[in-house]
Amino acid sequence: MVRTVEIAPDIFRISVYVPEINLEFSHFLVRDEEPLLFHAGLRGMFPLLRQEISRLMDPSKIRHIGFSHFESDECGGLNEWLQIAPAAEPVCGLVGALVSVNDFAIRPARVLTRDDVFSTGRYRFRFIPTPHVPHGWDAGVLFEESEKTLFCSDLFHQWGQLEPTTSSSIIECCKDALLQTEAGPFANYVPYTHHTGLVLHTLGEYSPKTLAVMHGSTYFGDGRQALRDLASVMREVLGPKAEQGTTASGTIGGR
Ligand SMILES: [Fe+2]
Ligand SMILES: [Fe+2]
């Protein structure tokens, strides 16, 4: 049920597959002088994640808990981690902190603004706000600069239990997942706005070598090209339809 792989030195992908919804949830642990957990995970997954992280390090030593946006799979277990790790603090963007996290969490967030950088020891993380990409006003991502790992949350969503990592292109799988999602009850999972393409191209300018995806395989390869391809896929699947006032689900405007 839980699979853990090391995607970079001391950066672990801890993944839990939920067969009922055919979806994998990945959490990324950076075992460093000041350990970071990216994705606190669902509250219901906390006991399982705690047990798994205990095999890698003492979870009470976690110092930073990051996530893209305020949603249960990103930060539902935040307070449970803050309770067992007394020096830990949430790290998120200004909007996330002021709108949700500082009310929800038992300790206030460390607030990051565009291109703020913090170190965990050997690794350096840059915060890049990405409003409404993948979704949520508060959305942002972390980019680890030494290994060039982009912690990209729900971007590149793939359904199912796939291989933990791959060097083969994931874009067709992502396109299929997006089409499948739009046709089902989770339609409108990702909005398409006039900022979407620019946000994805901006992320590509950081030239990530690893895309640490929340739902699906971690991708090793040309992250810049993958982000450009994702921008094209999202425009193809979501953009023109939205401009015409319809979506694959037909729910916008009651159509
Ligand atoms: Fe999400
Ligand atoms: Fe997610």
Side-chain angles (χ1 to χ4, degrees):
M1 193 175 176
V2 186
R3 287 195 299 183
T4 298
V5 297
E6 195 170 12
I7 61 167
D10 284 316
I11 301 182
F12 298 91
R13 173 191 187 271
I14 301 165
S15 199
V16 180
Y17 177 64
V18 180
E20 292 80 6
I21 53 171
N22 192 32
L23 189 61
E24 201 166 33
F25 294 83
S26 293
H27 318 79
F28 297 92
L29 176 70
V30 179
R31 189 172 58 185
D32 206 346
E33 287 167 35
E34 296 186 7
L36 176 145
L37 177 65
F38 193 73
H39 301 155
L42 293 163
R43 195 158 56 97
M45 276 185 193
F46 173 74
L48 193 60
L49 292 172
R50 178 185 184 174
Q51 186 180 43
E52 188 66 6
I53 286 177
S54 298
R55 297 195 313 109
L56 302 167
M57 58 163 279
D58 177 356
S60 72
K61 305 292 187 210
I62 291 172
R63 288 288 304 276
H64 310 277
I65 303 172
F67 41 87
S68 162
H69 48 276
F70 191 75
E71 204 169 39
S72 276
D73 63 344
E74 300 264 349
C75 51
L78 177 60
N79 285 332
E80 278 70 11
W81 293 112
L82 293 176
Q83 272 161 1
I84 65 156
E89 57 184 1
V91 284
C92 66
L94 181 72
V95 172
L98 297 184
V99 172
S100 300
V101 177
N102 284 353
D103 180 64
F104 171 79
I106 59 172
R107 286 199 290 282
R110 173 178 181 169
V111 172
L112 303 173
T113 55
R114 178 175 293 279
D115 285 322
D116 278 351
V117 174
F118 67 96
S119 171
T120 56
R122 70 191 286 196
Y123 287 125
R124 279 165 52 89
F125 292 85
R126 181 174 295 270
F127 176 72
I128 308 160
T130 59
H132 301 291
V133 179
H135 42 224
W137 176 28
D138 53 327
V141 295
L142 287 181
F143 178 61
E144 197 292 304
E145 297 188 320
S146 351
E147 294 291 328
K148 294 191 174 295
T149 300
L150 183 67
F151 294 86
C152 53
S153 176
D154 299 328
L155 295 175
F156 299 99
H157 175 114
Q158 305 144 60
W159 291 102
Q161 188 174 35
L162 306 169
E163 60 269 69
T165 64
T166 184
S167 300
S168 303
S169 174
I170 55 174
I171 201 69
E172 280 308 313
C173 189
C174 294
K175 182 177 177 180
D176 290 346
L178 190 54
L179 286 166
Q180 191 184 333
T181 303
E182 283 301 299
F186 291 116
N188 307 306
Y189 172 42
V190 284
Y192 189 85
T193 76
H194 55 285
H195 298 297
T196 305
L198 179 62
V199 168
L200 293 172
H201 281 89
T202 300
L203 292 180
E205 295 306 308
Y206 291 91
S207 298
K209 292 181 178 170
T210 299
L211 300 172
V213 174
M214 184 185 224
H215 310 288
S217 302
T218 287
Y219 172 67
F220 299 133
D222 185 345
R224 178 190 298 227
Q225 187 59 50
L227 284 153
R228 286 179 179 168
D229 291 345
L230 183 63
S232 298
V233 162
M234 287 180 67
R235 178 165 174 73
E236 182 189 332
V237 175
L238 304 171
K241 291 190 180 75
E243 284 163 14
Q244 291 160 18
T246 59
T247 68
S249 65
T251 55
I252 293 205
R255 292 170 189 240

